[in-house]
Amino acid sequence: MTELTELTAVRLLDGYRKGEWSPVEATRAALERAEAIQPEVNAFVRLTAEDALDRARESQERWRRGEPRGLLDGVPVTVKDILLQRGAPTLRGSRAVDPAGRWDEDAPSVARLREHGAVFIGKTTTPEYGWKGVTDSPLSGVTRNPHDPSRTAGGSSGGSAAAVALGAGPLSLGTDGGGSVRIPASFCGIFALKPTYGRVPLYPASAFGTLAHVGPMTRDAADAALLMDVIGHPDSRDWSALTAPAGPYTDGLAGGVRGLRVAYSPSLGGQVAVQPAVARAVRRAVARLAELGAYVTETDPDLTDPVEAFHTLWFSGAARVTQHLGPHQRELLDPGLREICARGARHSALEYLAAVDVRMDLGRRMGRFHDTYDLLVTPTLPLTAFEAGAEVPKGSGHRRWTGWTPFTYPFNMTQQPAASVPVGADADGLPIGLQLVAARHRDDLVLRAAHALYEAGVASGDRPRPSGS
């Protein structure tokens, strides 16, 4: 018998069309899986079983009539608890947010899912206001890695990554301001795309400004392309949203990589110390891209670590997002968040604008780089998942999460599309991710190359099963 929790969204929809299974069956299976994994992994802040089953029954009736609504009718989905969802509190991982709000509006991406008949099964965990690259908060505790619950799931979209990895819905919406869909995707062994800034509208506007993206977290690149065809359209509430894409992303998946010019940078010119197992897995995947017909050159972008400029932008955003809180509410915050807010509040306007100058120059250099190369390939992260509940690996010497994520946050600064593709595991069975980066507006190339890796069997689709399930 087919295990519905193992299927991609594309396969679920095909089964609905053929009458092999129903949205109610798929939703029940996803909810049962979510309930089973929650005690050990802690991927959810809430499940909405009753509402989900009601929506699944409505979807089932539409399929019975041969009148499905949109592209995702009846597919179980989850939403990171940063994004507004009508009828469900959005607490952002914070005890300082009052759950007794009106909660009567959807974020743009959530609204598009609703219009296309998706079934919302729950909201997933996040660190407070999505501020760091791991997922734990004073509100909801620690989210753990589905491959080893003693390790972190990464963050800040760690709940979404764990849910997708473990079969609690094939699709999830995450957010990414410095790597927050790609980091947990790499640690949990799933696919995630940070689209070009503005491709997926965001409302309310993020205090982290144009660093913040909304992106799909999925089983594979084909599911991500399908999800992008739903959420990648403008919304009048986001003044920075891009116009509609030229055509469906799903239509361009089969193009392969033959003839693409690929730059492979194993360590950003020696700036990053990469664990040997990570380096080997990424190099093997790059060799496969060459076998598939890509022109691969080992070279590095003209990229110096912009971490201080990123910190100025990021910490200032954190200070802004918490500016309205009173003294008692501030005492409820994650201590690390309080610390960076204090630093951010001390930055002057001139310091902020100097960081913007660094960002603009970085964007210029990457733009020139992509005049020569279609894609840049790096490891997503230089390491595999470390101990749960820590912001940085023990003994690493890093002060903040950015110390171990040097491959991700630069491309938030440049607004480029970037994806994490699972390409293997270390000796402990912990997933390893490869990062694909393209020029702004070339999300199609990132998805196409990722799909080629899945089709070639390089990208892993193995499903972890925690001991409690």
Side-chain angles (χ1 to χ4, degrees):
M1 180 178 174
T2 300
E3 183 70 45
L4 295 178
T5 59
E6 301 297 308
L7 300 182
T8 64
V10 170
R11 182 68 184 96
L12 275 179
L13 289 162
D14 185 55
Y16 296 165
R17 291 186 196 97
K18 295 175 179 176
E20 295 175 334
W21 44 73
S22 73
V24 171
E25 291 171 313
T27 299
R28 280 188 177 136
L31 286 166
E32 288 171 4
R33 191 74 172 125
E35 290 167 356
I37 68 175
Q38 182 62 11
E40 186 169 33
V41 176
N42 188 31
F44 292 93
V45 292
R46 73 188 54 83
L47 293 169
T48 53
E50 185 175 341
D51 182 69
L53 288 169
D54 285 344
R55 294 185 182 282
R57 293 183 191 102
E58 292 168 2
S59 171
Q60 183 166 291
E61 178 59 23
R62 290 192 293 270
W63 280 104
R64 188 193 64 78
R65 297 195 308 265
E67 299 172 353
R69 178 198 297 168
L71 298 178
L72 294 176
D73 203 352
V75 176
V77 301
T78 57
V79 176
K80 183 181 180 180
D81 201 36
I82 290 288
L83 298 168
L84 293 178
Q85 181 180 324
R86 193 173 74 229
T90 299
L91 302 183
R92 300 175 175 88
S94 181
R95 293 182 295 176
V97 177
D98 184 358
R102 292 175 61 184
W103 312 118
D104 57 357
E105 189 171 21
D106 285 329
S109 52
V110 176
R112 300 295 88 76
L113 287 179
R114 196 182 298 277
E115 291 163 4
H116 281 259
V119 175
F120 300 104
I121 68 166
K123 300 293 289 290
T124 57
T125 51
T126 175
E128 199 160 19
Y129 296 103
W131 79 272
K132 59 184 175 180
V134 294
T135 301
D136 58 73
S137 74
L139 178 69
S140 54
V142 177
T143 297
R144 299 177 179 277
N145 193 291
H147 295 263
D148 178 351
S150 72
R151 312 290 183 106
T152 180
S156 61
S157 306
S160 288
V164 170
L166 288 164
L171 306 177
S172 192
L173 292 178
T175 62
D176 190 315
S180 288
V181 299
R182 290 161 290 154
I183 293 165
S186 182
F187 278 177
C188 293
I190 67 164
F191 180 81
L193 171 69
K194 179 190 75 66
T196 298
Y197 178 79
R199 171 52 58 215
V200 180
L202 180 61
Y203 172 85
S206 172
F208 297 107
T210 57
L211 294 172
H213 302 58
V214 177
M217 306 183 73
T218 60
R219 298 284 176 79
D220 60 20
D223 268 12
L226 176 62
L227 186 47
M228 284 295 294
D229 286 343
V230 170
I231 65 175
H233 292 271
D235 187 289
S236 60
R237 294 172 292 174
D238 183 351
W239 64 271
S240 63
L242 299 175
T243 57
Y249 289 108
T250 48
D251 286 355
L253 284 178
V257 297
R258 183 167 299 279
L260 292 183
R261 303 162 299 167
V262 176
Y264 167 45
S265 179
S267 61
L268 296 181
Q271 295 182 74
V272 183
V274 178
Q275 287 180 352
V278 174
R280 287 193 297 270
V282 173
R283 188 173 290 276
R284 283 195 300 269
V286 170
R288 189 70 178 113
L289 287 173
E291 292 169 4
L292 293 170
Y295 298 114
V296 176
T297 303
E298 187 167 327
T299 188
D300 303 301
D302 179 20
L303 181 70
T304 52
D305 188 357
V307 67
E308 291 307 320
F310 179 81
H311 280 170
T312 297
L313 300 171
W314 192 252
F315 296 172
S316 298
R320 175 61 177 161
V321 82
T322 59
Q323 187 179 28
H324 68 286
L325 300 179
H328 173 69
Q329 290 171 303
R330 287 182 178 276
E331 286 302 311
L332 300 175
L333 296 178
D334 181 327
L337 177 59
R338 280 203 307 271
E339 184 180 324
I340 71 162
C341 288
R343 285 187 58 183
R346 292 194 294 268
H347 287 307
S348 70
L350 287 177
E351 288 172 328
Y352 190 93
L353 290 172
V356 172
D357 286 343
V358 171
R359 181 181 190 180
M360 290 191 292
D361 184 61
L362 185 64
R364 177 191 61 80
R365 283 183 278 155
M366 288 307 302
R368 293 293 298 271
F369 182 81
H370 285 291
D371 286 340
T372 303
Y373 299 102
D374 299 304
L375 291 168
L376 169 66
V377 177
T378 73
T380 305
L381 297 168
L383 74 175
T384 54
F386 52 88
E387 60 270 23
E391 183 184 346
V392 300
K394 188 180 299 182
S396 67
H398 299 311
R399 178 76 181 103
R400 295 263 78 102
W401 61 272
T402 44
W404 53 269
T405 61
F407 294 111
T408 60
Y409 57 79
F411 304 110
N412 292 80
M413 298 182 76
T414 61
Q415 303 187 343
Q416 293 171 250
S420 183
V421 185
V423 292
D426 68 8
D428 294 322
L430 297 168
I432 293 166
L434 170 150
Q435 181 174 233
L436 292 163
V437 184
R440 291 175 73 244
H441 312 295
R442 293 313 310 266
D443 307 68
D444 60 316
L445 281 184
V446 172
L447 289 165
R448 196 171 107 197
H451 185 64
L453 289 172
Y454 277 97
E455 290 287 283
V458 178
S460 169
D462 293 343
R463 290 283 159 266
R465 291 189 178 276
S467 60
S469 66

